[in-house]
Amino acid sequence: MKKEEHTKGEDNEEFEGGWHPIKDIKDPCLVVIAKFAISEYNKHNNLSLKFQTIVAGDEQFVGGINYRLVLNVTDGSKEGSMMYEAEVFKQAWLYFMELN
């Protein structure tokens, strides 16, 4: 997961195996994936970021699904929210998710 530094739409080529925009970023399954990404990032970096919303997202089908999500998060400070990009690989049939 990294702090978001580019605008939506970059590197968004439309071809098989490539990244494609997620049609419904309000899907409850995506919220689970976003919260997983934040939880894993917090564990590995000793932080306490909190999920707010999914701003944008792309998906890629490759022996599972890669999700690239732009997330609005807070860290509990009074400075407001920040945007982070997270990439998560999911294989639903194996109940497997991994933060890249």
Side-chain angles (χ1 to χ4, degrees):
M1 196 156 97
K2 64 182 178 182
K3 198 162 190 176
E4 176 65 8
E5 295 179 2
H6 69 273
T7 60
K8 184 180 181 308
E10 287 181 352
D11 302 322
N12 225 6
E13 295 182 27
E14 293 284 338
F15 57 90
E16 189 173 323
W19 291 96
H20 304 281
I22 295 172
K23 292 178 182 160
D24 181 12
I25 61 170
K26 294 183 182 189
D27 183 331
C29 293
L30 289 177
V31 172
V32 170
I33 294 166
K35 288 181 176 181
F36 167 80
I38 292 167
S39 174
E40 289 295 300
Y41 187 75
N42 284 341
K43 278 192 249 180
H44 295 297
N45 294 284
N46 198 26
L47 294 172
S48 58
L49 299 176
K50 306 259 189 269
F51 171 76
Q52 296 297 303
T53 59
I54 300 171
V55 177
D58 298 310
E59 59 191 357
Q60 178 186 43
F61 298 94
V62 288
I65 304 174
N66 279 320
Y67 293 94
R68 183 169 53 201
L69 303 174
V70 178
L71 307 173
N72 192 354
V73 303
T74 61
D75 64 0
S77 70
K78 295 180 182 179
E79 295 182 22
S81 61
M82 301 165 282
M83 292 223 261
Y84 278 80
E85 181 179 282
E87 284 191 27
V88 175
F89 177 66
K90 180 178 179 182
Q91 291 179 313
W93 64 95
L94 297 176
Y95 304 99
F96 175 80
M97 280 196 290
E98 176 181 53
L99 179 66
N100 295 328

PDB file of all heavy atoms in Angstrom, residues 25-52:
ATOM      1  N   ILE A  25     -17.734   0.387  -7.298  1.00  0.00           N
ATOM      2  CA  ILE A  25     -16.781   0.512  -6.192  1.00  0.00           C
ATOM      3  C   ILE A  25     -17.470   0.508  -4.822  1.00  0.00           C
ATOM      4  O   ILE A  25     -16.798   0.490  -3.802  1.00  0.00           O
ATOM      5  CB  ILE A  25     -15.874   1.759  -6.330  1.00  0.00           C
ATOM      6  CG1 ILE A  25     -16.680   3.044  -6.320  1.00  0.00           C
ATOM      7  CG2 ILE A  25     -14.996   1.649  -7.561  1.00  0.00           C
ATOM      8  CD1 ILE A  25     -15.836   4.289  -6.210  1.00  0.00           C
ATOM      9  N   LYS A  26     -18.797   0.487  -4.814  1.00  0.00           N
ATOM     10  CA  LYS A  26     -19.532   0.411  -3.538  1.00  0.00           C
ATOM     11  C   LYS A  26     -19.919  -1.025  -3.179  1.00  0.00           C
ATOM     12  O   LYS A  26     -20.600  -1.256  -2.192  1.00  0.00           O
ATOM     13  CB  LYS A  26     -20.767   1.305  -3.605  1.00  0.00           C
ATOM     14  CG  LYS A  26     -20.392   2.765  -3.715  1.00  0.00           C
ATOM     15  CD  LYS A  26     -21.587   3.657  -3.710  1.00  0.00           C
ATOM     16  CE  LYS A  26     -21.096   5.100  -3.866  1.00  0.00           C
ATOM     17  NZ  LYS A  26     -22.131   6.061  -3.664  1.00  0.00           N
ATOM     18  N   ASP A  27     -19.464  -1.985  -3.963  1.00  0.00           N
ATOM     19  CA  ASP A  27     -19.744  -3.391  -3.699  1.00  0.00           C
ATOM     20  C   ASP A  27     -19.214  -3.753  -2.311  1.00  0.00           C
ATOM     21  O   ASP A  27     -18.050  -3.505  -1.997  1.00  0.00           O
ATOM     22  CB  ASP A  27     -19.052  -4.244  -4.770  1.00  0.00           C
ATOM     23  CG  ASP A  27     -19.327  -5.724  -4.646  1.00  0.00           C
ATOM     24  OD1 ASP A  27     -19.558  -6.222  -3.531  1.00  0.00           O
ATOM     25  OD2 ASP A  27     -19.308  -6.389  -5.692  1.00  0.00           O
ATOM     26  N   PRO A  28     -20.041  -4.352  -1.449  1.00  0.00           N
ATOM     27  CA  PRO A  28     -19.600  -4.724  -0.099  1.00  0.00           C
ATOM     28  C   PRO A  28     -18.387  -5.654  -0.083  1.00  0.00           C
ATOM     29  O   PRO A  28     -17.582  -5.602   0.852  1.00  0.00           O
ATOM     30  CB  PRO A  28     -20.824  -5.421   0.507  1.00  0.00           C
ATOM     31  CG  PRO A  28     -21.984  -4.911  -0.274  1.00  0.00           C
ATOM     32  CD  PRO A  28     -21.465  -4.635  -1.657  1.00  0.00           C
ATOM     33  N   CYS A  29     -18.222  -6.475  -1.108  1.00  0.00           N
ATOM     34  CA  CYS A  29     -17.040  -7.345  -1.182  1.00  0.00           C
ATOM     35  C   CYS A  29     -15.755  -6.529  -1.302  1.00  0.00           C
ATOM     36  O   CYS A  29     -14.721  -6.901  -0.748  1.00  0.00           O
ATOM     37  CB  CYS A  29     -17.156  -8.311  -2.352  1.00  0.00           C
ATOM     38  SG  CYS A  29     -18.460  -9.518  -2.157  1.00  0.00           S
ATOM     39  N   LEU A  30     -15.819  -5.408  -2.007  1.00  0.00           N
ATOM     40  CA  LEU A  30     -14.650  -4.537  -2.136  1.00  0.00           C
ATOM     41  C   LEU A  30     -14.304  -3.862  -0.820  1.00  0.00           C
ATOM     42  O   LEU A  30     -13.136  -3.637  -0.516  1.00  0.00           O
ATOM     43  CB  LEU A  30     -14.876  -3.481  -3.218  1.00  0.00           C
ATOM     44  CG  LEU A  30     -14.875  -3.982  -4.648  1.00  0.00           C
ATOM     45  CD1 LEU A  30     -15.172  -2.836  -5.607  1.00  0.00           C
ATOM     46  CD2 LEU A  30     -13.562  -4.645  -5.006  1.00  0.00           C
ATOM     47  N   VAL A  31     -15.321  -3.541  -0.031  1.00  0.00           N
ATOM     48  CA  VAL A  31     -15.071  -2.943   1.289  1.00  0.00           C
ATOM     49  C   VAL A  31     -14.296  -3.931   2.155  1.00  0.00           C
ATOM     50  O   VAL A  31     -13.357  -3.550   2.860  1.00  0.00           O
ATOM     51  CB  VAL A  31     -16.394  -2.505   1.955  1.00  0.00           C
ATOM     52  CG1 VAL A  31     -16.159  -2.061   3.388  1.00  0.00           C
ATOM     53  CG2 VAL A  31     -17.054  -1.395   1.149  1.00  0.00           C
ATOM     54  N   VAL A  32     -14.648  -5.210   2.089  1.00  0.00           N
ATOM     55  CA  VAL A  32     -13.917  -6.243   2.840  1.00  0.00           C
ATOM     56  C   VAL A  32     -12.457  -6.284   2.387  1.00  0.00           C
ATOM     57  O   VAL A  32     -11.542  -6.334   3.217  1.00  0.00           O
ATOM     58  CB  VAL A  32     -14.586  -7.627   2.664  1.00  0.00           C
ATOM     59  CG1 VAL A  32     -13.721  -8.737   3.223  1.00  0.00           C
ATOM     60  CG2 VAL A  32     -15.966  -7.626   3.311  1.00  0.00           C
ATOM     61  N   ILE A  33     -12.230  -6.228   1.089  1.00  0.00           N
ATOM     62  CA  ILE A  33     -10.868  -6.249   0.547  1.00  0.00           C
ATOM     63  C   ILE A  33     -10.101  -5.000   0.983  1.00  0.00           C
ATOM     64  O   ILE A  33      -8.935  -5.078   1.383  1.00  0.00           O
ATOM     65  CB  ILE A  33     -10.897  -6.386  -0.985  1.00  0.00           C
ATOM     66  CG1 ILE A  33     -11.470  -7.754  -1.374  1.00  0.00           C
ATOM     67  CG2 ILE A  33      -9.518  -6.174  -1.599  1.00  0.00           C
ATOM     68  CD1 ILE A  33     -11.849  -7.885  -2.828  1.00  0.00           C
ATOM     69  N   ALA A  34     -10.747  -3.842   0.938  1.00  0.00           N
ATOM     70  CA  ALA A  34     -10.104  -2.583   1.352  1.00  0.00           C
ATOM     71  C   ALA A  34      -9.723  -2.625   2.828  1.00  0.00           C
ATOM     72  O   ALA A  34      -8.615  -2.232   3.205  1.00  0.00           O
ATOM     73  CB  ALA A  34     -11.030  -1.410   1.072  1.00  0.00           C
ATOM     74  N   LYS A  35     -10.635  -3.103   3.665  1.00  0.00           N
ATOM     75  CA  LYS A  35     -10.345  -3.184   5.107  1.00  0.00           C
ATOM     76  C   LYS A  35      -9.236  -4.190   5.391  1.00  0.00           C
ATOM     77  O   LYS A  35      -8.400  -3.973   6.273  1.00  0.00           O
ATOM     78  CB  LYS A  35     -11.609  -3.538   5.877  1.00  0.00           C
ATOM     79  CG  LYS A  35     -12.585  -2.373   5.926  1.00  0.00           C
ATOM     80  CD  LYS A  35     -13.835  -2.717   6.720  1.00  0.00           C
ATOM     81  CE  LYS A  35     -14.749  -1.511   6.836  1.00  0.00           C
ATOM     82  NZ  LYS A  35     -15.957  -1.800   7.618  1.00  0.00           N
ATOM     83  N   PHE A  36      -9.193  -5.280   4.629  1.00  0.00           N
ATOM     84  CA  PHE A  36      -8.101  -6.240   4.748  1.00  0.00           C
ATOM     85  C   PHE A  36      -6.769  -5.565   4.422  1.00  0.00           C
ATOM     86  O   PHE A  36      -5.784  -5.725   5.147  1.00  0.00           O
ATOM     87  CB  PHE A  36      -8.331  -7.432   3.804  1.00  0.00           C
ATOM     88  CG  PHE A  36      -7.117  -8.303   3.632  1.00  0.00           C
ATOM     89  CD1 PHE A  36      -6.783  -9.243   4.589  1.00  0.00           C
ATOM     90  CD2 PHE A  36      -6.300  -8.162   2.517  1.00  0.00           C
ATOM     91  CE1 PHE A  36      -5.646 -10.037   4.427  1.00  0.00           C
ATOM     92  CE2 PHE A  36      -5.172  -8.947   2.353  1.00  0.00           C
ATOM     93  CZ  PHE A  36      -4.846  -9.891   3.309  1.00  0.00           C
ATOM     94  N   ALA A  37      -6.735  -4.802   3.324  1.00  0.00           N
ATOM     95  CA  ALA A  37      -5.498  -4.122   2.908  1.00  0.00           C
ATOM     96  C   ALA A  37      -5.009  -3.169   3.999  1.00  0.00           C
ATOM     97  O   ALA A  37      -3.820  -3.146   4.329  1.00  0.00           O
ATOM     98  CB  ALA A  37      -5.724  -3.364   1.605  1.00  0.00           C
ATOM     99  N   ILE A  38      -5.910  -2.413   4.561  1.00  0.00           N
ATOM    100  CA  ILE A  38      -5.526  -1.459   5.605  1.00  0.00           C
ATOM    101  C   ILE A  38      -5.045  -2.187   6.848  1.00  0.00           C
ATOM    102  O   ILE A  38      -4.033  -1.808   7.453  1.00  0.00           O
ATOM    103  CB  ILE A  38      -6.696  -0.509   5.925  1.00  0.00           C
ATOM    104  CG1 ILE A  38      -6.951   0.394   4.718  1.00  0.00           C
ATOM    105  CG2 ILE A  38      -6.414   0.317   7.176  1.00  0.00           C
ATOM    106  CD1 ILE A  38      -8.241   1.160   4.775  1.00  0.00           C
ATOM    107  N   SER A  39      -5.731  -3.250   7.225  1.00  0.00           N
ATOM    108  CA  SER A  39      -5.329  -4.037   8.392  1.00  0.00           C
ATOM    109  C   SER A  39      -3.920  -4.613   8.226  1.00  0.00           C
ATOM    110  O   SER A  39      -3.085  -4.526   9.132  1.00  0.00           O
ATOM    111  CB  SER A  39      -6.343  -5.159   8.621  1.00  0.00           C
ATOM    112  OG  SER A  39      -5.921  -6.007   9.644  1.00  0.00           O
ATOM    113  N   GLU A  40      -3.659  -5.200   7.060  1.00  0.00           N
ATOM    114  CA  GLU A  40      -2.325  -5.764   6.787  1.00  0.00           C
ATOM    115  C   GLU A  40      -1.253  -4.680   6.783  1.00  0.00           C
ATOM    116  O   GLU A  40      -0.174  -4.863   7.332  1.00  0.00           O
ATOM    117  CB  GLU A  40      -2.328  -6.513   5.452  1.00  0.00           C
ATOM    118  CG  GLU A  40      -3.091  -7.809   5.480  1.00  0.00           C
ATOM    119  CD  GLU A  40      -2.465  -8.827   6.407  1.00  0.00           C
ATOM    120  OE1 GLU A  40      -1.292  -9.207   6.188  1.00  0.00           O
ATOM    121  OE2 GLU A  40      -3.147  -9.244   7.368  1.00  0.00           O
ATOM    122  N   TYR A  41      -1.551  -3.553   6.155  1.00  0.00           N
ATOM    123  CA  TYR A  41      -0.600  -2.445   6.101  1.00  0.00           C
ATOM    124  C   TYR A  41      -0.298  -1.938   7.511  1.00  0.00           C
ATOM    125  O   TYR A  41       0.861  -1.695   7.854  1.00  0.00           O
ATOM    126  CB  TYR A  41      -1.164  -1.328   5.225  1.00  0.00           C
ATOM    127  CG  TYR A  41      -0.190  -0.212   4.978  1.00  0.00           C
ATOM    128  CD1 TYR A  41       0.861  -0.365   4.090  1.00  0.00           C
ATOM    129  CD2 TYR A  41      -0.319   1.009   5.639  1.00  0.00           C
ATOM    130  CE1 TYR A  41       1.765   0.660   3.858  1.00  0.00           C
ATOM    131  CE2 TYR A  41       0.581   2.043   5.411  1.00  0.00           C
ATOM    132  CZ  TYR A  41       1.619   1.857   4.518  1.00  0.00           C
ATOM    133  OH  TYR A  41       2.504   2.877   4.308  1.00  0.00           O
ATOM    134  N   ASN A  42      -1.338  -1.813   8.317  1.00  0.00           N
ATOM    135  CA  ASN A  42      -1.146  -1.367   9.700  1.00  0.00           C
ATOM    136  C   ASN A  42      -0.260  -2.334  10.477  1.00  0.00           C
ATOM    137  O   ASN A  42       0.633  -1.903  11.217  1.00  0.00           O
ATOM    138  CB  ASN A  42      -2.497  -1.214  10.403  1.00  0.00           C
ATOM    139  CG  ASN A  42      -3.240   0.031   9.987  1.00  0.00           C
ATOM    140  OD1 ASN A  42      -2.668   0.974   9.452  1.00  0.00           O
ATOM    141  ND2 ASN A  42      -4.544   0.035  10.219  1.00  0.00           N
ATOM    142  N   LYS A  43      -0.487  -3.633  10.326  1.00  0.00           N
ATOM    143  CA  LYS A  43       0.311  -4.649  11.038  1.00  0.00           C
ATOM    144  C   LYS A  43       1.783  -4.555  10.684  1.00  0.00           C
ATOM    145  O   LYS A  43       2.640  -4.619  11.546  1.00  0.00           O
ATOM    146  CB  LYS A  43      -0.179  -6.055  10.701  1.00  0.00           C
ATOM    147  CG  LYS A  43      -1.359  -6.512  11.487  1.00  0.00           C
ATOM    148  CD  LYS A  43      -1.568  -8.002  11.274  1.00  0.00           C
ATOM    149  CE  LYS A  43      -2.833  -8.212  10.485  1.00  0.00           C
ATOM    150  NZ  LYS A  43      -3.125  -9.621  10.231  1.00  0.00           N
ATOM    151  N   HIS A  44       2.073  -4.408   9.390  1.00  0.00           N
ATOM    152  CA  HIS A  44       3.456  -4.416   8.932  1.00  0.00           C
ATOM    153  C   HIS A  44       4.180  -3.093   9.156  1.00  0.00           C
ATOM    154  O   HIS A  44       5.411  -3.048   9.095  1.00  0.00           O
ATOM    155  CB  HIS A  44       3.527  -4.782   7.443  1.00  0.00           C
ATOM    156  CG  HIS A  44       3.064  -6.176   7.165  1.00  0.00           C
ATOM    157  ND1 HIS A  44       3.693  -7.294   7.652  1.00  0.00           N
ATOM    158  CD2 HIS A  44       1.998  -6.634   6.461  1.00  0.00           C
ATOM    159  CE1 HIS A  44       3.057  -8.381   7.265  1.00  0.00           C
ATOM    160  NE2 HIS A  44       2.012  -8.002   6.545  1.00  0.00           N
ATOM    161  N   ASN A  45       3.429  -2.023   9.407  1.00  0.00           N
ATOM    162  CA  ASN A  45       4.044  -0.706   9.560  1.00  0.00           C
ATOM    163  C   ASN A  45       3.758  -0.048  10.899  1.00  0.00           C
ATOM    164  O   ASN A  45       4.076   1.119  11.091  1.00  0.00           O
ATOM    165  CB  ASN A  45       3.573   0.216   8.421  1.00  0.00           C
ATOM    166  CG  ASN A  45       4.082  -0.280   7.085  1.00  0.00           C
ATOM    167  OD1 ASN A  45       5.239  -0.115   6.761  1.00  0.00           O
ATOM    168  ND2 ASN A  45       3.208  -0.920   6.328  1.00  0.00           N
ATOM    169  N   ASN A  46       3.155  -0.807  11.813  1.00  0.00           N
ATOM    170  CA  ASN A  46       2.845  -0.310  13.154  1.00  0.00           C
ATOM    171  C   ASN A  46       2.087   1.024  13.095  1.00  0.00           C
ATOM    172  O   ASN A  46       2.450   1.993  13.754  1.00  0.00           O
ATOM    173  CB  ASN A  46       4.111  -0.189  13.995  1.00  0.00           C
ATOM    174  CG  ASN A  46       3.787  -0.103  15.470  1.00  0.00           C
ATOM    175  OD1 ASN A  46       2.754  -0.582  15.917  1.00  0.00           O
ATOM    176  ND2 ASN A  46       4.675   0.523  16.225  1.00  0.00           N
ATOM    177  N   LEU A  47       1.050   1.060  12.274  1.00  0.00           N
ATOM    178  CA  LEU A  47       0.220   2.253  12.106  1.00  0.00           C
ATOM    179  C   LEU A  47      -1.211   1.942  12.518  1.00  0.00           C
ATOM    180  O   LEU A  47      -1.547   0.800  12.819  1.00  0.00           O
ATOM    181  CB  LEU A  47       0.248   2.726  10.650  1.00  0.00           C
ATOM    182  CG  LEU A  47       1.595   3.229  10.140  1.00  0.00           C
ATOM    183  CD1 LEU A  47       1.532   3.489   8.642  1.00  0.00           C
ATOM    184  CD2 LEU A  47       2.005   4.494  10.878  1.00  0.00           C
ATOM    185  N   SER A  48      -2.043   2.956  12.492  1.00  0.00           N
ATOM    186  CA  SER A  48      -3.460   2.746  12.819  1.00  0.00           C
ATOM    187  C   SER A  48      -4.354   3.520  11.854  1.00  0.00           C
ATOM    188  O   SER A  48      -5.218   4.278  12.267  1.00  0.00           O
ATOM    189  CB  SER A  48      -3.736   3.145  14.265  1.00  0.00           C
ATOM    190  OG  SER A  48      -3.384   4.495  14.478  1.00  0.00           O
ATOM    191  N   LEU A  49      -4.125   3.297  10.555  1.00  0.00           N
ATOM    192  CA  LEU A  49      -4.979   3.925   9.553  1.00  0.00           C
ATOM    193  C   LEU A  49      -6.382   3.336   9.650  1.00  0.00           C
ATOM    194  O   LEU A  49      -6.557   2.163   9.957  1.00  0.00           O
ATOM    195  CB  LEU A  49      -4.426   3.680   8.148  1.00  0.00           C
ATOM    196  CG  LEU A  49      -3.033   4.236   7.857  1.00  0.00           C
ATOM    197  CD1 LEU A  49      -2.590   3.831   6.459  1.00  0.00           C
ATOM    198  CD2 LEU A  49      -3.005   5.737   8.022  1.00  0.00           C
ATOM    199  N   LYS A  50      -7.378   4.154   9.374  1.00  0.00           N
ATOM    200  CA  LYS A  50      -8.779   3.734   9.429  1.00  0.00           C
ATOM    201  C   LYS A  50      -9.424   3.952   8.061  1.00  0.00           C
ATOM    202  O   LYS A  50      -9.302   5.011   7.458  1.00  0.00           O
ATOM    203  CB  LYS A  50      -9.542   4.545  10.468  1.00  0.00           C
ATOM    204  CG  LYS A  50      -8.923   4.520  11.851  1.00  0.00           C
ATOM    205  CD  LYS A  50      -9.636   3.556  12.749  1.00  0.00           C
ATOM    206  CE  LYS A  50      -9.176   3.674  14.167  1.00  0.00           C
ATOM    207  NZ  LYS A  50      -8.093   2.840  14.530  1.00  0.00           N
ATOM    208  N   PHE A  51     -10.144   2.942   7.598  1.00  0.00           N
ATOM    209  CA  PHE A  51     -10.843   2.990   6.316  1.00  0.00           C
ATOM    210  C   PHE A  51     -11.967   4.020   6.363  1.00  0.00           C
ATOM    211  O   PHE A  51     -12.719   4.093   7.324  1.00  0.00           O
ATOM    212  CB  PHE A  51     -11.415   1.606   5.995  1.00  0.00           C
ATOM    213  CG  PHE A  51     -12.324   1.587   4.810  1.00  0.00           C
ATOM    214  CD1 PHE A  51     -11.809   1.656   3.528  1.00  0.00           C
ATOM    215  CD2 PHE A  51     -13.698   1.508   4.971  1.00  0.00           C
ATOM    216  CE1 PHE A  51     -12.651   1.636   2.426  1.00  0.00           C
ATOM    217  CE2 PHE A  51     -14.539   1.482   3.876  1.00  0.00           C
ATOM    218  CZ  PHE A  51     -14.014   1.547   2.604  1.00  0.00           C
ATOM    219  N   GLN A  52     -12.100   4.795   5.283  1.00  0.00           N
ATOM    220  CA  GLN A  52     -13.212   5.721   5.122  1.00  0.00           C
ATOM    221  C   GLN A  52     -14.054   5.314   3.912  1.00  0.00           C
ATOM    222  O   GLN A  52     -15.199   4.937   4.071  1.00  0.00           O
ATOM    223  CB  GLN A  52     -12.709   7.164   4.947  1.00  0.00           C
ATOM    224  CG  GLN A  52     -11.983   7.708   6.169  1.00  0.00           C
ATOM    225  CD  GLN A  52     -12.890   7.783   7.380  1.00  0.00           C
ATOM    226  OE1 GLN A  52     -13.929   8.422   7.328  1.00  0.00           O
ATOM    227  NE2 GLN A  52     -12.502   7.136   8.455  1.00  0.00           N
TER     228      GLN A  52
END
